[in-house]
Amino acid sequence: MTNRLILCVLLVIISPWLLAKELILLHTNDFHGHIQQEGKYAGAAKIAAFVKEIKAQHPAVLLLDAGDAISGTPVSSMFEGEPIFDVMNAMGYDVGLIGNHEFDHGYKKIERFRAIANHPLLTANALGPDGALLGDAPYLLRNLDGIRVGIIGLITETAPTLFSPTGNEGLTFLNPADRLSELVPMLRPKTDVLILLSHIGHEAELVLAEQFQDLDLIIGGHSHTLVQHPVRVGKTLVAQANHYGSHLGLIKIKVPDAGQGSLDIQGDLIAANELPDGDPATQALVSSYEAKVEDQVDIKIAVIRKNYSKIALQPILEDILAEAIGADLGYYNRTGIRDVLSEGDVTARMIWNLEPFGNTLVKLTLSGADLLILLSQEPTLHHAANAIDPERRYQLATNSFIASHATLAFGDAITAVDTGILVRDILIQQIKAKGLQ
């Protein structure tokens, strides 16, 4: 255990002797199925060990997750997210949140996630076709060691643009600020600490913090932002713990006696390499799941001589897709590239991590004008945009996620032919045969 981690633990253990009331919050976000320790990612067992240690020493501790627990590793993709919630039970989560990737296997799968999870999955603004909330509850009220805690759960209103329409028809996502306008005044008098558990993104969460000063704390997700110490916006603090379990958030809230002053909130992030050795029981569960996929994914397919960032990978993946289908060009959305490749051996697992969604290869036929609109969704100018002729028609190789949204946007102006071939399989086959450029 590092000196810094020992200090964190001691502060948590000693503090009940110094203060009448203190609430400890541990938090993750955008875990994306990374239950196995790997590189800079802690894995479930190391996080579980720290959580158990803190809970054993302190009477008021909550472990929270701010959504997107699934989709990002083979064990999550092959079993449609179910093992992740089983492992999260072993980790000791108290509260979870429905993020946009919880919809990757269709909204009806969320009912299964809720059945597996021992902790409630919150959402105050995601509604099914029947108008009912898709989570266990819009908020949670808990009393821990005499501290009244309220936690509201919200997902980004833009969620429908972030998952496939197939299997997610008829959903409604209410405006987060509108829901907070209803819930915050109702819950504030009932709570000593009022928390928003948010899968909206750090910048948007800062805006909400400014707008809703009766919130004490926003624990966020979605943008994969590393917020080493919570950002103060007026009286409200905003936290986020990067992604994939690279960090565990630790927040201490000193709660004075009624009428004796305001909350004192201090927070930090603990990096994976600062966490203790893994909890054996949690690691055994993780290993049992990983054993079910290792024969398929822990296979060397190539060796590369340099590192490839997501930006560097984008045109390479697009060329592979275009060649596979005989299209004029390819388009692979950068946000759909979920990992990087580092110098050395490349395994099939790495490609699964890079493309965990199980998208298929689709050929779109569309005008250059519509193609430019499609490419404009990138965070920066797409490398092919300047060469597109708006008057020409193109055959575009892309993934089924992009194709489904393009079909909704352009209707009969485009045609889409789904090959049914997994993009991941094409990438593995081509990289195995030809390596990377």
Side-chain angles (χ1 to χ4, degrees), residues 309-322 330 332 334 337 382-384 437:
S309 67
K310 294 178 181 180
I311 294 175
L313 283 169
Q314 185 179 31
I316 297 172
L317 303 185
E318 290 172 340
D319 287 346
I320 290 174
L321 298 188
Y332 199 114
R334 194 182 305 165
I337 303 172
H382 189 272
H383 60 89
Q437 299 173 358

Side-chain angles (χ1 to χ4, degrees), residues 206-226:
L206 292 174
V207 173
L208 289 176
E210 184 173 9
Q211 186 176 354
F212 295 95
Q213 286 286 288
D214 276 341
L215 289 170
D216 297 307
L217 175 66
I218 298 176
I219 293 179
H222 185 51
S223 55
H224 296 199
T225 307
L226 192 156

Side-chain angles (χ1 to χ4, degrees), residues 8 34 61 64 123 125 196 218 223 228 258 276-277 313 319 340 382 386 427:
C8 289
H34 284 73
V61 181
L64 305 93
T123 183
N125 65 327
L196 170 60
I218 298 176
S223 55
Q228 187 64 51
D277 292 339
L313 283 169
D319 287 346
V340 300
H382 189 272
N386 289 331
L427 297 179

Side-chain angles (χ1 to χ4, degrees), residues 335-404:
T335 56
I337 303 172
R338 305 300 290 192
D339 210 345
V340 300
L341 293 179
S342 300
E343 180 181 4
D345 292 346
V346 178
T347 65
R349 179 185 290 271
M350 294 175 181
I351 308 304
W352 275 80
N353 291 347
L354 189 151
E355 200 292 303
F357 306 116
N359 289 317
T360 54
L361 178 61
V362 179
K363 179 185 282 188
L364 291 182
T365 304
L366 72 172
S367 69
D370 288 341
L371 177 54
L372 285 170
I373 294 173
L374 198 61
L375 297 181
S376 71
Q377 306 306 307
E378 288 290 291
T380 57
L381 183 68
H382 189 272
H383 60 89
N386 289 331
I388 301 299
D389 178 358
E391 302 300 322
R392 179 185 163 189
R393 287 193 71 78
Y394 289 86
Q395 289 188 333
L396 179 73
T398 190
N399 60 59
S400 51
F401 169 80
I402 291 295
S404 61

Side-chain angles (χ1 to χ4, degrees), residues 107 112 181 273 285 310 396:
Y107 79 91
R112 176 63 181 154
S181 295
N273 62 5
L285 182 61
K310 294 178 181 180
L396 179 73

Side-chain angles (χ1 to χ4, degrees), residues 57-69:
Q57 299 293 338
H58 199 286
V61 181
L62 289 173
L63 175 60
L64 305 93
D65 181 72
D68 278 7

